[in-house]
Amino acid sequence: MSTHFAPSSDGASATVTVLGLGPMGRALAGAFLDAGLRTTVWNRTPGRDAELVARGATGAHSAEEAVAASALTVLCVVNYDAGDAILRRDEVAAALKGRTLVNLSADTPDRARDTADWAARHGVRYLDGAIMTPTPSIGTPDAVFLYSGPADVYEEHRPVLDVLGGSHTHLGEDVGRAAAYDVALLDVFWTSMAGYAHALAVARAEGVTARELTPYAQGIAAILPPLMEEFAGDVDSGTYSGELNPITSAASTMSHIVHASESHGIDASVMRAIEGQARRVVALGHGTDGYLRVTELLGRR
Ligand code: NDP
């Protein structure tokens, strides 16, 4: 449950607008409503606001009408092309002038900086953000929100943002920083999911079901957090100890995955690329280092 928002001294509820009513936008708007905020919503395709309006939200007829209703607008659409399609019209820019826009859509750091430049040119106070947890987490202690941009804007709107539940972290004034975290963390997520999907295909080809493999897959996944903890300092300092598992050994196990996959006609191109990177590290003379030495190789132009 999210916390209830305290009304101001004149008894008025704080106002907030949500633009974009996909699954995440609807979850955000729902959490604002649960907390007692006067919530205005708008979505490109009409009709997505029905349930929220039934719960007390105001459904605006246009994006400019929606942003004019609140001091704070939260934008949550598929990407920044979609955000631009909504924001970069004269009527919307004029309605947003002097107000705050928090962009919780996902995209790249460059797009975040570009949107911040647009906002500055139009007198819009701008924070960029990223949501790192799925929709059911919104309004619960499990939600994770990251922000970047002007600290004073963040502090001013923090009481409203807090009702979304979970943890809220301001990563600094570089407005691209939340998207930098988002892209890096989604990299971890999608490469892990791709590895799991590939593992299930190889296991199935060997007659092992997903249900049979999964408890062991969970065990492998659980090894990763302590390894990340152990090696983060090494990566930052440029030391890559391979004492317990040198990259030559790692490359050998990668080749087993390639061969087993291809013996079943399963595409092993991702693992081939990963093995290739490890073997290049060995060829560069770092065969006694650990696997994460590959981080430096990837950074080379
Ligand atoms: P989607 O990523 O599918 O986004 C749907 C929203 O984008 C709808 O409001 C849709 O409007 C709008 N949209 C798409 N194209 C355009 C366009 N050209 N112009 C205007 N609006 C457009 O669903 P989510 O709500 O789940 O995600 C929203 C954001 O939240 C994304 O950036 C996503 O990465 C992020 N996020 C989502 C999570 C989740 O669990 N769902 C978790 C963490 C982050 P319409 O209805 O008109 O198509």
Side-chain angles (χ1 to χ4, degrees):
M1 281 287 289
S2 55
T3 51
H4 201 81
F5 193 82
S8 60
S9 53
D10 62 2
S13 301
T15 56
V16 65
T17 287
V18 178
L19 299 179
L21 300 176
M24 185 52 88
R26 290 199 300 272
L28 300 174
F32 287 135
L33 282 172
D34 285 346
L37 277 91
R38 282 198 287 139
T39 306
T40 300
V41 294
W42 177 85
N43 189 66
R44 175 185 64 167
T45 304
R48 301 255 153 87
D49 61 357
E51 194 194 326
L52 293 163
V53 169
R55 289 170 59 191
T58 301
H61 297 103
S62 66
E64 49 272 32
E65 183 187 314
V67 301
S70 308
L72 169 65
T73 289
V74 172
L75 174 67
C76 189
V77 288
V78 61
N79 55 35
Y80 283 38
D81 282 343
D84 286 354
I86 295 168
L87 299 174
R88 300 200 189 202
R89 291 189 299 113
D90 291 345
E91 301 84 345
V92 176
L96 267 175
K97 189 168 183 182
R99 301 175 195 269
T100 299
L101 174 66
V102 177
N103 193 350
L104 295 180
S105 314
D107 215 307
T108 64
D110 283 349
R111 294 300 294 266
R113 294 185 187 107
D114 180 63
T115 305
D117 288 346
W118 172 87
R121 288 198 302 278
H122 291 84
V124 178
R125 305 171 80 216
Y126 184 74
L127 272 183
D128 205 80
I131 307 170
M132 302 317 313
T133 49
T135 51
S137 71
I138 304 304
T140 79
D142 294 335
V144 175
F145 294 87
L146 304 176
Y147 303 90
S148 48
D152 59 331
V153 177
Y154 174 69
E155 289 305 330
E156 183 181 326
H157 295 285
R158 178 86 200 261
V160 171
L161 297 169
D162 269 349
V163 308
L164 296 173
S167 74
H168 295 257
T169 305
H170 182 245
L171 297 168
E173 301 259 339
D174 169 7
V175 77
R177 210 163 161 85
Y181 274 60
D182 187 42
V183 167
L185 295 172
L186 287 173
D187 197 346
V188 174
F189 181 76
W190 283 119
T191 49
S192 301
M193 286 299 280
Y196 182 49
H198 194 267
L200 293 179
V202 175
R204 180 157 58 190
E206 286 287 345
V208 180
T209 66
R211 283 202 184 285
E212 287 172 321
L213 186 74
T214 290
Y216 298 94
Q218 289 172 319
I220 286 284
I223 293 172
L224 293 178
L227 280 182
M228 291 174 178
E229 180 81 34
E230 184 182 341
F231 290 122
D234 284 1
V235 173
D236 283 342
S237 64
T239 56
Y240 304 92
S241 169
E243 201 181 342
L244 297 181
N245 190 3
I247 196 164
T248 44
S249 172
S252 175
T253 61
M254 291 168 188
S255 74
H256 305 156
I257 301 167
V258 170
H259 295 146
S261 305
E262 293 181 347
S263 72
H264 290 293
I266 293 171
D267 182 348
S269 52
V270 172
M271 189 49 68
R272 272 195 177 279
I274 294 169
E275 183 193 350
Q277 289 161 2
R279 296 217 182 273
R280 272 162 60 207
V281 168
V282 175
L284 286 166
H286 303 295
T288 56
D289 282 356
Y291 171 70
L292 287 180
R293 167 65 76 171
V294 89
T295 310
E296 300 223 339
L297 182 89
L298 294 171
R300 287 181 180 212
R301 295 189 184 271

